[in-house]
Amino acid sequence: MELPTIDLDLFLSQSLETSAVQHECKKVADALITFGALILHDSRVTEGKNSAFLDLLEDYFAQSTSDIQKDERPELSYQVGVTLENTEKPKCAVDESCLSIIQRLEPSERPLDISAHSPDPKCRFFWKMSEVSPYETQFPGLNAPNVVPQAEEINARWTQTMEDWGESMKQAVENLADMACIGLGLPPCTFRDAGRYGPHLLAPTASDLEKYGRKDTILAGFHTDLNFLTIHGRSRYPGLNIWARNTGKRLPVKIPAGNYLLVQAGKQLEHLTGGLIKAGYHEVVVNDQTLKVIEKRKVENPERPLVRISSTFFWHLSSDFDLSPIPSLAERAKAFGASHIALGGYATDEPEYQPMKVGHQVQK
Ligand SMILES: [Fe+2]
């Protein structure tokens, strides 16, 4: 089973009324409902920009710990700058409903066992890509500027590379959000407008494969994302698995080389659609394919650091937005709930989607 591939070029090059565009938008909605994820093709996103970004982050995380620590901002709760490894623990390990989802999967489709899992052995960098709201806000958030690393060689290319790659992914995910609206029968800018002042983040993670390159190491334990849509560029190392919510099958993600990205639904999208689209579970592990690429990189690029970078961008709704299920979609979600189990999907305890501000959902 493969994830559907969506053609963003087609959407951008033809008028909204054409049947080709309408069909492609419907495909987006169906992919998000069935898989919670899709592959996106966008010619504006180049392999060159992704490579420059991966090279920069590999070099950054290959620095000494003391150099990297200069970019920590514990006093700002790590909301900008770097977070070192073994800090973030996947909450699923202690979350009953999440553990029961794992129990209900066929044993062959379950994620690696997270019950005894210590915090994820991954570092993360948060680079804010938000637009400051001109309106009064209940959630002033963080006004601190982004952290730019000091080491001369990295400093010189940091801001441009982060902005180039971050803007590519932001643009792609906002267009995809428009397509999803059309496919769901909503006005095209519904999601884009709701997320205009969202605290979007370019948030690459790094895993040291010299230290954590053994088979079946969990680099990021089974979890969903709390934001609206997450978009990823291609990593140099395989190992990302996702679960298609309506089939209960684990899918190893393969993003083709070139102009392709992966998009996955997060909790805010689940809430706004009343559960019609579910946030997608995923994990990052070291598997046989990861090991093969590690060996290949050692031979072909012996001078490069052996670090797995994930180029992740979290697109959020604005903190002041009232998060409440859109009635037409909540109706469809109810009708859909019973039927997907018959198709081989796994049952979940249907959560209540209480109205709340996005800022409160994030705090929760
Ligand atoms: Fe995630």
Side-chain angles (χ1 to χ4, degrees):
M1 195 171 5
E2 296 227 324
L3 285 179
T5 299
I6 302 301
D7 188 355
L8 195 48
D9 294 355
L10 187 153
F11 175 72
L12 294 173
S13 63
Q14 296 188 28
S15 115
L16 289 189
E17 288 73 42
T18 59
S19 62
V21 167
Q22 292 292 323
H23 176 261
E24 204 64 11
C25 293
K26 176 78 170 40
K27 213 167 119 188
V28 170
D30 291 345
L32 289 172
I33 292 168
T34 307
F35 295 92
L38 51 87
I39 302 281
L40 187 59
H41 179 248
D42 180 355
S43 294
R44 300 168 303 177
V45 174
T46 65
E47 183 72 21
K49 278 187 195 165
N50 190 23
S51 274
F53 172 82
L54 296 175
D55 284 341
L56 175 68
L57 270 297
E58 282 178 6
D59 292 341
Y60 174 77
F61 282 106
Q63 297 182 106
S64 69
T65 306
S66 61
D67 275 336
I68 294 177
Q69 275 172 335
K70 291 176 190 160
D71 302 328
E72 281 185 314
R73 296 293 181 270
E75 69 281 14
L76 301 173
S77 311
Y78 301 96
Q79 289 185 70
V80 287
V82 78
T83 305
L84 288 174
E85 63 189 33
N86 302 326
T87 311
E88 287 185 323
K89 190 164 185 179
K91 73 172 169 37
C92 184
V94 289
D95 181 301
E96 296 256 326
S97 73
C98 183
L99 290 172
S100 89
I101 285 176
I102 297 175
Q103 280 309 315
R104 283 180 242 172
L105 292 170
E106 288 292 319
S108 61
E109 303 299 330
R110 287 180 192 161
L112 283 185
D113 185 10
I114 47 169
S115 53
H117 179 50
S118 19
D120 289 337
K122 65 170 197 251
C123 305
R124 187 194 283 289
F125 201 101
F126 274 164
W127 182 258
K128 288 190 304 175
M129 299 207 64
S130 45
E131 186 181 334
V132 178
S133 169
Y135 307 109
E136 200 180 321
T137 171
Q138 215 179 309
F139 306 92
L142 194 59
N143 251 330
N146 274 322
V147 176
V148 180
Q150 293 167 26
E152 202 177 319
E153 198 277 325
I154 288 169
N155 182 286
R157 56 194 164 120
W158 184 268
T159 302
Q160 186 75 50
T161 308
M162 297 295 272
E163 288 291 322
D164 273 359
W165 183 239
E167 274 303 325
S168 290
M169 289 205 287
K170 189 175 180 208
Q171 185 171 262
V173 75
E174 287 178 346
N175 287 133
L176 190 271
D178 298 343
M179 292 182 83
C181 287
I182 296 167
L184 290 166
L186 305 171
C189 291
T190 307
F191 296 158
R192 176 191 289 271
D193 290 347
R196 169 127 190 229
Y197 304 111
H200 314 304
L201 284 169
L202 177 59
T205 60
S207 302
D208 181 349
L209 295 172
E210 301 274 9
K211 242 158 106 184
Y212 303 110
R214 281 225 322 272
K215 193 177 167 194
D216 291 343
T217 303
I218 301 175
L219 300 177
F222 191 69
H223 70 283
T224 57
D225 293 342
L226 66 80
N227 54 300
F228 191 79
L229 284 168
T230 302
I231 184 161
H232 301 265
R234 200 160 75 100
S235 171
R236 288 184 168 141
Y237 302 88
L240 172 63
N241 291 322
I242 68 168
W243 276 262
R245 67 73 73 124
N246 288 318
T247 66
K249 299 281 183 229
R250 181 181 56 222
L251 285 174
V253 171
K254 288 191 209 96
I255 305 180
N259 329 96
Y260 291 90
L261 300 157
L262 171 77
V263 177
Q264 198 167 27
K267 279 285 176 193
Q268 291 168 1
L269 180 52
E270 176 173 332
H271 201 130
L272 195 57
T273 62
L276 178 63
I277 294 170
K278 289 271 197 200
Y281 277 94
H282 50 286
E283 69 174 0
V284 183
V285 297
V286 176
N287 58 27
D288 287 327
Q289 283 66 42
T290 326
L291 294 179
K292 268 188 209 155
V293 176
I294 291 175
E295 288 316 309
K296 197 161 165 252
R297 287 282 295 175
K298 279 183 182 166
V299 173
E300 292 175 4
N301 305 78
E303 76 295 349
R304 295 296 304 160
L306 213 57
V307 179
R308 183 190 192 279
I309 303 294
S310 82
S311 69
T312 309
F313 185 100
F314 295 122
W315 197 83
H316 284 254
L317 295 183
S318 310
S319 304
D320 293 283
F321 182 78
D322 290 306
L323 192 55
S324 176
I326 295 170
S328 63
L329 301 182
E331 279 303 311
R332 277 179 71 185
K334 268 190 206 141
F336 191 75
S339 66
H340 92 265
I341 299 166
L343 294 168
Y346 55 88
T348 53
D349 301 321
E350 289 305 324
E352 298 259 336
Y353 299 105
Q354 299 293 345
M356 63 180 81
K357 292 276 182 198
V358 167
H360 289 134
Q361 176 256 346
V362 170
Q363 283 167 4
K364 206 168 145 227

